[in-house]
Amino acid sequence: ENPCLPFPDRVLFFTRRMTLSICYSLSAVVMLLFVVPREQTCFTWMGPHTIYVYLLQHEAFYLHDVVLKTWTPPQYTSNIAHLTVLSFYVLATLFAMLAIACWPSRYLF
């Protein structure tokens, strides 16, 4: 046993960092190539107004917390219930983005 040789975990730490870097870079490339739209969509009009969504997201999260403090939803553990909750959050996110980016909300600023 040679004490000058590095431990296997020290040797493999570099490969872990390389793997993470490749995975993060790959996910960014996939996002740019397949997720970002190249033509006009029904949400394209919100593009110039996303700063309002970013600035007012704290208030949206506050309303989310108020709703969950006043109404405690039942707790289900099935996959269908989980899918339903995730679908609700997708709809709630779209509604919040539409409400914050629409012209009456922008008119306040």
Side-chain angles (χ1 to χ4, degrees):
E1 190 172 315
N2 189 349
C4 295
L5 289 175
F7 292 104
D9 57 346
R10 288 187 187 163
V11 173
L12 294 176
F13 187 73
F14 173 75
T15 60
R16 179 184 173 274
R17 281 200 298 183
M18 270 313 264
T19 304
L20 284 175
S21 297
I22 290 170
C23 288
Y24 292 149
S25 301
L26 186 64
S27 65
V29 168
V30 167
M31 176 87 165
L32 287 174
L33 292 179
F34 299 111
V35 177
V36 176
R38 289 174 178 71
E39 63 273 348
Q40 186 146 351
T41 64
C42 58
F43 298 113
T44 306
W45 66 271
M46 279 194 286
H49 312 296
T50 53
I51 189 69
Y52 299 113
V53 177
Y54 176 73
L55 292 175
L56 296 175
Q57 70 181 345
H58 182 66
E59 282 72 22
F61 288 138
Y62 174 74
L63 288 175
H64 174 266
D65 291 341
V66 167
V67 167
L68 286 182
K69 284 181 183 176
T70 57
W71 175 72
T72 305
Q75 295 183 0
Y76 298 107
T77 57
S78 68
N79 289 334
I80 298 295
H82 184 67
L83 183 63
T84 305
V85 169
L86 289 178
S87 302
F88 170 74
Y89 274 107
V90 167
L91 293 175
T93 302
L94 288 176
F95 176 75
M97 287 179 65
L98 288 171
I100 293 172
C102 69
W103 70 268
S105 297
R106 293 192 321 258
Y107 186 72
L108 297 174
F109 297 101

